[in-house]
């Protein structure tokens, strides 16, 4: 089982150190610390295990260190910043593992950019040695890239000439969309195995500055302080991200606020979110409650559950979201998040929820949300209704059920707090062709919507009453399970994201899709393909036919 | 110096590559040449630039051409571009293209790889000149001073050889790299030379001899591997460079041998039997044998790092591509493709050093290093014959390959010179018994006083058995007063 939980006492590959507003995140990969057997993580190359630690470090820096305003990303090894994803690992990994690995690393890279953009915690990449492939892709997530000018250190994206695959962790996309490298120069860069160093790297906008070794340490520190001075981050005392508690049994994973039930025969995982029961009264209370504050605790648990399902339960094809609780309490949590949104911690919680919900969007399983009596799809939790491929709602009450009918509630957060990768709120994404519906929905904030109202306003897919509910739900799930998993993944990935492209959607949509195609092709993974032949010294044999 | 534009390319630059007719390369060389001369004057031998030195100049590759002796001021040395004669019908001797006609032009798919090989090799050539630039002032004799300068001008010529290939075959990138070769500086913090051992100091003459014995021998191994290349111009260039490299190793091997000989003689004359009676030996003004051993330990281990990681994808790729072969590839009798054979490699496994069979293609660095160790051991054997003849029981050794390493399998551990793994404390406690200490270096430095009378030698080194170009013992190899 791949475990996505870790903490700094268990890191094997990263070191965190702190100096006032500056934290240094040092990559020093233990070659013997691979997640699986059969490869050595030489030259600061990474596998999923290395990235799990990175994701944890990035998360902790945000929550546990409000005083940190700049994070310096550097290497603990001489002559190499990072050699990128470990090639032997990629050569041995199953297609599914490769895809999940790339998706997770991409999500982690975006979380770094999210910290720079939205948390006042700016990343600075200090590249000494070579930053190749995924190593440069990692550096490019930083807002400011410094390259030591020792006439040896270089940046490169050698994937195509060296491995016959793409710089697929956002590399290609960030070159043009973030660094604004001219497309023909990007073409030269991506086909030059040895990369670019020194002044040319600055001219081509691959890095922001080059610095001679004699001035290196001082200059890095100076820049870090400059970036820190721009920050609006004002917290002083962080909260501890205590370990997420869970129990895993054969057919269930249980957290405090999230329950996962697995029906492997039906290939369905049901994720039930339990709403909050006692919420703090004010900002001080939120800080005192820390990691136990419901929105934060629930978000971390849901995040872990999604990652677990993605990596460890590949044949689960459907995720059914349910919820149990009092909608008024969920809305209460939302109003705390809205009222104190300028506080650094509340901001972090909102941003984390945003990222976890994006993780839902990016999960390649069919998502069905069931809104039934006793559920609490309100505000933040209603995002799971809008994230789903289909949402169905129980109309009226069941005989003998005294809980009252199922309801749906919107809060202000549904409109502003949780943009998807395409920059739209899930409601704006949903009503892309119906601007009036979006306006109408905004007027429904705070209202209690029953199934009829929800259906009328287009907030759910279908409403079924007691007579039809069981059968209809069963049919949806069975039908879904009968379709081709590949075709469904393609269908869902297309329909979930409407409208405008962003760097993020281009990374997940265009770059990743092509990369995953290449990962299936004999030129990469065939017996004489590049990944199989890599390191043997024997050149791959390519099928010359362009497809 | 004549103006660059007026250079007579066949006269001033001895060459057998038709330089006078090759406009493109001429233009590139014209741009590069002034920078080279500037580099030589500022980073080449310190002092003595106006003294005529009795140097050998290669003006052709035939038997009369390759060794013309005469007095020349170093900046006026005629650095030539000489390739061993082309062998008709030569084929690529190894790798995936084995048996195909050798390339006369760079194959596009291997351009970057080949350029990298040339740049790494090229970078070592000026580096050692820079490392050795202060040594003229403390030369133990005019004979040794001349040998130093001979090595220096030939390393300069090796730089020319690599620059010629870069400019002839690698377009704009090649010209840029040629310029960079003049801009990097040994030991410079901001733009160091590419490989570690070429950024170390060569502070004294024993270091110089050790360097030419151990580190130039790495150069020999690399050149020998490149001399097998399927890229014919590189192969021909390296074959000719090897003839010069042999002289550098002669300087190193005989230099150390003469130091050993002098120490042995002095000990005998003073009746000292115990080589570890260091104070008494040093009081004689000679270098004690254990310190010579420590210097050898240092230079051997630094040089082993130049072979890179034992298991190397780059080396495998270069072999498979037909660009860099094995040592004496042409004398080996296997399939020359190595796609299905294995090679034993010393590896660190769970804290112990073990021998492990790995695919032969990925073990090429290891293999070249093994050949190097064997070659170096032969030279050490000759040092030991000097000791034997002098009736000394002391013997020089090569330390274990795991000793004092910073690159490869053993960079993670400390060992003694026998390869026994040491704890960090034990290493620090024993370090100075295995590597030169500050005291050792200060002592050697204290002996570095020059001796410039023709035929006279500093007290810590024996005269050579024979003069250069069969010149008499009191020949004035460097006319300092001129
Ligand atoms: Fe040389
Ligand atoms: Fe040499």
């Amino acid at each position: 089982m791949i475990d996505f939980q870790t903490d700094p006492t268990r890191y094997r590959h990263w070191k965190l150190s702190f100096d006032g507003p500056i934290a240094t995140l040092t990559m020093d990969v233990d070659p013997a610390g691979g997640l699986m057997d059969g490869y050595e993580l030489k030259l600061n190359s990474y596998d999923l295990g290395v990235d799990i630690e990175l994701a944890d470090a990035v998360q902790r820096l945000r929550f546990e260190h409000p005083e940190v305003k700049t994070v310096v990303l550097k290497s603990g090894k001489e002559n190499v910043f990072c050699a990128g994803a470990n090639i032997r690992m990629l050569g041995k990994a199953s297609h599914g593992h490769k895809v999940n690995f790339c998706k997770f690393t991409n999500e982690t890279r975006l979380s770094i950019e999210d910290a720079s953009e939205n948390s006042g915690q700016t990343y600075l990449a200090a590249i000494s040695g070579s930053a190749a492939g995924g190593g440069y892709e990692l550096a490019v997530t930083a807002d400011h890239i410094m390259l030591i000018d020792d006439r040896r250190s270089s940046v490169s994206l050698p994937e195509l000439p060296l491995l016959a695959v793409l710089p697929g962790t956002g590399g290609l996309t960030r070159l043009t969309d973030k660094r604004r490298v001219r497309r023909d120069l990007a073409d030269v860069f991506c086909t030059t195995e040895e990369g670019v160093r020194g002044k040319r790297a600055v001219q081509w906008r691959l890095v922001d500055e080059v610095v001679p070794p004699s001035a290196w340490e001082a200059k890095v520190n100076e820049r870090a302080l400059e970036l820190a001075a721009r920050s609006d981050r004002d917290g002083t005392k962080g909260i501890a991200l205590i370990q997420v508690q869970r129990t895993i049994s054969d057919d269930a994973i249980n957290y405090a606020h999230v329950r996962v039930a697995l029906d492997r025969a039906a290939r369905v995982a049901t994720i039930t979110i339990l709403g909050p029961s006692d919420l703090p009264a004010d900002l001080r209370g939120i800080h005192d409650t820390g990691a136990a504050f419901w929105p934060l605790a629930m978000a971390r648990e849901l995040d872990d559950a999604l990652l677990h399902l993605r990596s460890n339960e590949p044949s689960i094809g459907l995720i059914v979201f349910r919820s149990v609780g009092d909608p008024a309490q969920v809305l209460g949590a939302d109003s705390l998040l809205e009222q104190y949104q300028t506080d650094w911690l509340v901001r972090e919680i909102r941003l984390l929820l945003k990222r976890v919900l994006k993780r839902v969007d990016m999960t390649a399983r069919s998502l069905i949300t069931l809104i039934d009596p006793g559920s609490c799809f309100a505000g933040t939790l209603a995002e799971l209704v809008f994230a789903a491929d289909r949402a169905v709602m129980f109309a009226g009450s069941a005989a003998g059920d005294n809980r009252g009918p199922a309801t749906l509630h919107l809060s202000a957060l549904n409109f502003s707090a949780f943009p998807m990768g395409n920059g739209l709120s899930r409601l704006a994404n949903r009503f892309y062709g119906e601007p009036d519906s979006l306006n109408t929905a905004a007027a429904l904030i705070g209202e209690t919507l029953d199934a009829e109202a929800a259906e009328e306003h287009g907030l759910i897919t279908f409403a079924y009453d007691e007579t039809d509910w069981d059968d209809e739900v069963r049919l949806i799930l069975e039908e879904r399970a009968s379709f081709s998993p590949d075709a469904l993944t393609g269908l869902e990935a297309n329909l979930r994201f409407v409208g405008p492209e962003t760097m993020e959607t281009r990374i997940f949509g265009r770059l990743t899709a092509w990369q995953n195609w290449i990962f299936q092709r004999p030129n990469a993974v065939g017996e004489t393909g590049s990944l199989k032949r890599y390191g043997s010294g024997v050149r791959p044999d390519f099928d010359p036919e362009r497809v | 110096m004549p103006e660059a534009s007026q250079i007579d390319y066949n006269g001033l630059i001895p060459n057998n590559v038709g330089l006078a007719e090759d406009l493109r390369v001429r233009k590139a060389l014209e741009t590069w040449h002034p920078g080279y001369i500037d580099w030589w004057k500022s980073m080449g031998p310190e002092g003595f630039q106006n003294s005529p030195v009795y140097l050998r100049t290669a003006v052709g590759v035939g038997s009369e051409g390759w060794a013309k002796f005469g007095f020349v001021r170093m900046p006026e040395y005629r650095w030539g571009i000489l390739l061993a004669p082309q062998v008709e019908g030569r084929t690529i001797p190894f790798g995936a293209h084995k048996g195909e006609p050798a390339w006369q032009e760079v194959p596009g798919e291997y351009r970057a790889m080949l350029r990298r090989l040339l740049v790494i090799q090229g970078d070592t050539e000026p580096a050692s000149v820079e490392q050795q630039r202060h040594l003229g002032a403390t030369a133990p004799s005019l004979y040794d001073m001349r040998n130093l300068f001979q090595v220096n001008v030939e390393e300069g010529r090796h730089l020319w050889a690599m620059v010629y290939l870069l400019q002839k075959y690698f377009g704009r990138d090649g010209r840029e790299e040629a310029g960079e070769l003049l801009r990097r500086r040994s030991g410079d913090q901001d733009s160091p030379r590419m490989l570690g051992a070429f950024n170390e100091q060569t502070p004294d003459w024993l270091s110089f001899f050790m360097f030419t014995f151990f580190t130039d021998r790495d150069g020999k191994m690399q050149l020998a591997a490149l001399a097998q290349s399927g890229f014919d111009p590189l192969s021909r260039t390296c074959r000719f460079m090897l003839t010069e490299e042999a002289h550098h190793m002669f300087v190193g091997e005989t230099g150390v041998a003469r130091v050993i000989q002098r120490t042995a003689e002095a000990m005998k004359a003073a009746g000292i039997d115990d080589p570890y009676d260091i104070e008494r030996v040093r009081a004689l003004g000679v270098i004690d044998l254990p310190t010579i051993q420590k210097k050898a330990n240092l230079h051997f281990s630094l040089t082993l790092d130049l072979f890179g990681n034992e298991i190397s994808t780059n080396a495998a790729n270069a072999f498979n591509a037909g660009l860099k072969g094995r040592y004496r590839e042409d004398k080996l009798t296997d399939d020359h493709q190595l796609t299905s054979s294995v090679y034993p490699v010393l590896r660190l496994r769970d804290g112990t050093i073990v021998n492990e069979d790995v695919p032969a293609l990925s073990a090429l660095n290891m293999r070249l290093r093994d050949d190097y160790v064997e070659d170096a051991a032969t030279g050490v054997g000759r040092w030991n014959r000097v000791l034997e003849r002098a009736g000394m029981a002391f013997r020089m050794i090569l330390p274990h390959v795991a000793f004092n390493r910073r690159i490869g399998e053993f960079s993670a551990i400390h060992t003694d010179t026998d390869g026994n793994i040491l704890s960090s404390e034990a290493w620090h406690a024993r370090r100075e018994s295995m590597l030169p200490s500050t005291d050792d270096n200060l002592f050697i430095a204290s002996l570095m006083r020059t001796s410039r009378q023709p035929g006279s030698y500093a007290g810590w080194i024996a005269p050579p058995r024979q003069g250069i170009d069969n010149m008499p013992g009191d020949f004035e190899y460097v006319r300092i007063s001129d």
Side-chain angles (χ1 to χ4, degrees):
Chain A
M1 187 191 106
I2 296 174
D3 184 358
F4 288 83
Q5 292 193 30
T6 185
D7 66 74
T9 63
R10 291 191 276 162
Y11 290 177
R12 292 186 72 171
H13 310 297
W14 296 88
K15 293 185 187 78
L16 270 170
S17 62
F18 299 91
D19 181 9
I22 299 173
T24 302
L25 182 52
T26 304
M27 186 177 203
D28 194 0
V29 176
D30 174 1
L35 196 58
M36 291 160 207
D37 290 336
Y39 53 86
E40 270 183 284
L41 297 174
K42 287 186 193 164
L43 301 171
N44 262 2
S45 61
Y46 60 81
D47 66 355
L48 181 59
V50 177
D51 229 69
I52 288 172
E53 290 183 9
L54 172 62
D56 184 75
V58 172
Q59 190 93 300
R60 280 177 202 282
L61 281 163
R62 301 175 76 153
F63 281 96
E64 300 188 346
H65 297 279
E67 80 285 1
V68 168
K69 296 169 178 165
T70 307
V71 181
V72 177
L73 206 51
K74 65 169 216 179
S75 163
K77 304 225 186 290
E78 251 181 84
N79 297 329
V80 62
F81 176 77
C82 166
N86 187 278
I87 309 308
R88 285 172 205 275
M89 177 275 294
L90 286 177
K92 284 174 192 284
S94 69
H95 181 70
H97 183 80
K98 279 202 281 280
V99 170
N100 270 317
F101 166 70
C102 292
K103 186 176 285 181
F104 182 77
T105 53
N106 267 317
E107 287 168 332
T108 305
R109 305 297 171 273
L110 287 163
S111 79
I112 291 174
E113 285 172 329
D114 186 50
S116 292
E117 193 183 330
N118 298 312
S119 290
Q121 194 169 68
T122 307
Y123 278 71
L124 184 165
I127 304 176
S128 56
S130 71
Y136 177 60
E137 291 178 310
L138 176 62
V140 173
T141 60
D143 258 30
H144 190 80
I145 309 177
M146 303 175 74
L147 173 63
I148 196 167
D149 189 11
D150 57 5
R151 296 175 192 273
R152 289 186 286 191
S153 296
S154 61
V155 296
S156 64
L157 291 177
E159 283 87 346
L160 190 141
L162 190 65
L163 304 166
V165 299
L166 299 178
T169 313
L172 276 185
T173 318
R174 283 192 179 84
L175 272 190
T176 51
D177 291 26
K178 182 177 186 182
R179 304 294 310 179
R180 307 286 166 115
V181 177
R182 221 173 65 201
R183 54 156 288 201
D184 55 344
L185 297 179
D187 181 292
V188 174
F189 180 58
C190 293
T191 49
T192 306
E193 192 184 317
E194 68 198 58
V196 171
R197 57 185 148 82
K199 286 203 186 68
R200 182 178 293 171
V202 179
Q203 281 161 5
W204 289 13
R205 287 195 287 277
L206 299 167
V207 305
D208 293 292
E209 59 180 321
V210 289
V211 180
S214 53
W216 178 246
E217 303 272 336
K219 203 76 179 167
V220 169
N221 199 49
E222 184 189 323
R223 287 283 179 269
L225 288 169
E226 280 171 21
L227 292 174
R230 292 188 341 208
S231 171
D232 65 349
R233 203 170 159 85
D234 58 359
T236 48
K237 195 169 161 292
I239 60 151
L241 288 184
I242 46 167
Q243 198 181 343
V244 169
Q245 298 296 320
R246 65 179 177 198
T247 53
I248 300 181
S249 59
D250 192 38
D251 55 3
I253 307 140
N254 288 324
Y255 305 84
H257 311 289
V258 175
R259 300 280 145 87
V260 183
L262 300 169
D263 179 350
R264 291 208 177 76
R267 298 180 38 236
V268 173
T270 302
I271 299 183
T272 305
I273 315 281
L274 310 183
S277 46
D278 54 335
L279 290 167
D282 53 17
L283 185 60
R284 148 89 42 111
I286 294 173
H287 279 259
D288 289 346
T289 316
F293 181 43
W294 179 83
L296 173 54
M298 183 276 294
R300 293 178 68 209
E301 291 171 3
L302 178 56
D303 206 28
D304 188 67
L306 290 169
L307 290 170
H308 176 86
L309 290 176
R310 278 187 188 176
S311 281
N312 300 315
E313 297 288 348
S315 55
I316 294 290
L318 257 75
I319 293 176
V320 173
F321 286 113
R322 311 186 81 123
S323 64
V324 175
D326 178 359
Q329 290 277 348
V330 180
L331 292 173
D334 272 18
S335 57
L336 287 170
L337 295 179
E338 190 66 3
Q339 186 180 350
Y340 301 115
Q341 59 177 299
T342 57
D343 174 70
W344 76 268
L345 175 59
V346 172
R347 177 166 77 177
E348 285 307 334
I349 294 169
R350 289 167 61 118
L351 291 168
L352 174 61
L353 280 163
K354 176 189 76 174
R355 294 195 301 279
V356 174
L357 289 165
K358 284 186 182 184
R359 187 108 73 197
V360 173
D361 297 331
M362 290 310 307
T363 296
R365 314 291 165 96
S366 296
L367 305 174
I368 310 287
T369 298
L370 301 181
I371 311 163
D372 57 0
S375 67
C376 55
F377 287 108
T380 297
L381 286 189
E383 289 293 308
L384 294 174
V385 175
F386 311 133
D389 301 304
R390 294 198 205 168
V392 293
M393 189 159 175
F394 195 102
S397 295
D401 187 343
N402 55 10
R403 287 177 298 182
T407 56
L408 180 66
H409 310 255
L410 301 179
S411 80
L413 272 66
N414 295 116
F415 295 84
S416 58
F418 311 124
M420 300 171 60
N422 58 10
L424 303 177
S425 70
R426 277 177 196 75
L427 280 173
N429 185 74
R430 182 176 189 83
F431 295 128
Y432 192 58
E434 309 170 23
D436 291 347
S437 302
L438 185 60
N439 291 335
T440 312
L444 297 173
I445 291 175
E447 306 252 333
T448 299
L449 305 170
D450 60 14
E452 209 173 26
E455 192 172 29
E456 182 198 331
H457 293 297
L459 297 168
I460 57 167
T461 315
F462 299 118
Y464 299 115
D465 64 12
E466 189 185 10
T467 357
D468 293 331
W469 175 264
D470 283 350
D471 249 7
E472 291 291 348
V473 169
R474 181 179 59 79
L475 285 173
I476 290 175
L477 301 185
E478 285 181 6
E479 182 194 57
R480 205 77 180 174
S482 73
F483 291 139
S484 153
D486 299 338
L488 281 176
T489 295
L491 175 83
E492 292 155 2
N494 275 281
L495 297 183
R496 282 180 197 173
F497 302 89
V498 307
E501 287 274 28
T502 61
M503 184 181 86
E504 193 169 327
T505 61
R506 276 174 29 78
I507 288 171
F508 286 119
R510 193 186 288 260
L511 178 58
T512 307
W514 281 112
Q515 178 80 313
N516 291 345
W517 178 73
I518 292 169
F519 273 161
Q520 291 282 50
R521 297 273 300 158
N523 285 341
V525 292
E527 273 318 305
T528 63
S530 58
L531 290 178
K532 287 278 155 58
R533 287 265 169 99
Y534 179 77
S536 70
V538 183
R539 285 174 60 79
D541 283 331
F542 293 136
D543 175 350
E545 200 168 299
R546 292 284 288 244
V547 180
Chain B
M1 284 304 302
E3 289 299 311
S5 55
Q6 298 163 357
I7 290 175
D8 162 7
Y9 277 89
N10 284 333
L12 199 75
I13 304 180
N15 72 85
N16 63 349
V17 294
L19 203 55
E21 294 79 45
D22 191 336
L23 281 179
R24 205 170 60 88
V25 175
R26 267 183 58 177
K27 190 159 165 272
L29 267 181
E30 277 167 19
T31 315
W32 185 80
H33 184 259
Y36 173 79
I37 295 297
D38 282 352
W39 169 81
W40 179 269
K41 285 181 173 164
S42 63
M43 292 310 294
E46 195 176 62
F48 311 99
Q49 295 265 3
N50 290 317
S51 307
V53 184
Y54 192 68
L55 291 176
R56 185 185 66 204
T57 305
V59 295
V61 292
S63 51
E64 312 96 81
W66 83 278
K68 287 267 184 254
F69 284 92
F71 281 95
V72 57
R73 293 182 172 81
M74 284 186 281
E76 290 156 29
Y77 187 79
R78 294 160 70 211
W79 285 284
I81 298 169
L82 298 162
L83 276 59
Q86 188 166 351
V87 177
E88 270 318 305
R90 180 168 180 263
T91 57
I92 298 166
F94 55 89
H97 304 281
K98 179 174 177 286
E100 297 171 21
W103 295 297
Q104 300 304 327
E105 292 291 334
V106 178
E109 57 182 328
Y110 300 133
R111 193 175 200 220
M113 202 192 302
L114 199 47
R115 191 182 66 216
R116 203 156 45 235
L117 288 173
L118 290 182
V119 168
I120 290 172
Q121 179 62 38
D123 194 63
T124 66
E125 312 290 357
S128 61
V129 176
E130 291 163 0
Q131 287 170 295
Q132 295 158 11
R133 63 186 302 257
H134 303 298
L135 291 174
T138 54
S141 70
L142 292 180
Y143 166 88
D144 290 293
M145 187 189 281
R146 177 263 162 210
N147 281 351
L148 167 71
F149 295 155
Q150 182 73 51
V151 169
N152 291 164
V153 294
E154 281 174 354
E155 298 303 4
R157 203 199 69 74
H158 291 176
L159 171 62
W160 274 73
M162 291 298 131
V163 163
Y164 168 73
L165 292 177
L166 285 169
Q167 296 189 332
K168 168 91 179 160
Y169 296 101
F170 294 87
R172 194 183 73 172
D173 290 349
R175 292 196 291 278
E176 275 177 26
E177 293 287 8
E180 287 292 300
L181 288 171
L182 293 179
R183 276 189 280 276
R184 284 186 286 268
R185 291 282 181 273
S186 174
D188 189 291
Q189 193 194 358
D190 284 349
S191 57
R193 291 292 170 187
M194 296 170 87
L195 301 172
F198 290 90
N199 288 304
E200 300 284 335
Q201 288 186 328
T202 311
D204 58 68
W205 276 78
L206 183 54
S207 301
F208 170 67
F209 293 136
M210 289 295 180
F211 186 96
T212 42
F213 180 83
F214 285 112
T215 308
D216 279 69
R217 190 178 307 274
D218 161 70
K220 166 185 158 180
M221 304 308 290
Q222 303 298 338
L223 291 175
L226 293 172
Q228 304 287 338
S229 182
F231 178 49
D232 207 39
L234 176 61
S235 164
R236 293 168 56 204
T237 304
C238 291
R239 273 180 269 156
F240 189 72
M241 287 163 77
L242 279 167
T243 60
E244 292 157 326
E245 214 58 71
H247 173 257
H248 306 174
M249 268 163 299
F250 161 83
V251 169
E253 185 186 311
T254 57
V256 176
R258 286 159 56 211
V259 178
I260 291 174
Q261 183 189 340
R262 179 70 195 106
T263 302
E265 286 166 2
M267 285 171 67
K268 217 179 203 172
I272 304 172
D273 292 329
D274 180 6
Y276 293 93
D277 197 346
I278 286 167
E279 283 197 20
R280 281 180 67 207
V281 175
R282 286 185 178 183
L284 305 172
V286 296
I287 306 171
D288 53 284
L289 298 172
T291 296
I292 298 174
Q293 178 65 55
K294 285 196 249 178
K295 280 280 205 187
N297 293 346
L298 175 68
H299 285 269
F300 180 68
S301 57
L302 284 173
T303 302
L304 292 187
D305 280 345
L306 294 173
F307 289 86
N309 283 309
E310 286 83 349
I311 312 285
S312 163
T313 304
N314 285 343
N317 290 342
F319 182 88
N320 190 62
L323 303 182
K324 183 177 176 184
R326 290 169 293 176
Y327 184 57
R328 298 193 172 150
E329 184 76 44
D330 48 354
K331 306 279 191 302
L332 299 172
T333 55
D334 53 20
D335 68 357
H336 301 281
Q337 290 185 313
L338 304 182
T339 45
S340 52
S341 50
V342 294
Y343 188 82
V345 171
L346 279 185
R347 306 201 71 177
L348 194 60
R349 282 281 175 260
D350 305 318
T352 55
I353 298 171
V354 296
N355 227 322
E356 200 178 277
D357 276 348
V358 308
L361 259 184
S362 54
L364 286 162
N365 282 346
M366 177 74 191
R367 179 169 188 139
L368 194 62
R369 194 186 79 191
D370 283 346
D371 290 330
Y372 167 82
V373 172
E374 199 185 315
D375 199 60
T378 314
V380 172
R382 284 194 280 269
W383 293 344
N384 284 332
R385 279 207 284 288
V386 174
L387 289 166
E388 212 178 300
R389 279 199 297 273
M392 305 283 300
F394 189 92
R395 291 290 178 269
M396 295 290 291
I397 58 148
L398 288 177
H400 192 277
V401 291
F403 172 74
N404 191 40
R405 298 295 305 283
R406 290 179 64 191
I407 287 176
E409 289 285 319
F410 308 117
S411 57
I413 52 165
H414 295 302
T415 75
D416 64 15
T417 50
D418 296 327
N420 301 308
I421 296 178
L422 300 179
S423 68
S424 191
E425 301 83 67
W427 163 255
H428 284 107
R430 291 186 52 193
R431 195 173 186 271
E432 299 211 329
S433 68
M434 302 183 290
L435 290 169
S437 66
T438 311
D439 275 357
D440 296 335
N441 287 327
L442 284 174
F443 170 70
I444 295 170
S446 76
L447 297 179
M448 294 298 124
R449 281 188 301 262
T450 189
S451 176
R452 291 180 185 170
Q453 273 310 100
S456 85
Y457 288 81
W460 53 271
I461 189 166
R465 268 192 277 168
Q466 231 177 358
I468 292 293
D469 195 25
N470 289 318
M471 288 299 161
D474 59 352
F475 185 71
E476 190 179 7
Y477 289 99
V478 184
R479 292 183 186 149
I480 294 172
S481 47
D482 278 30

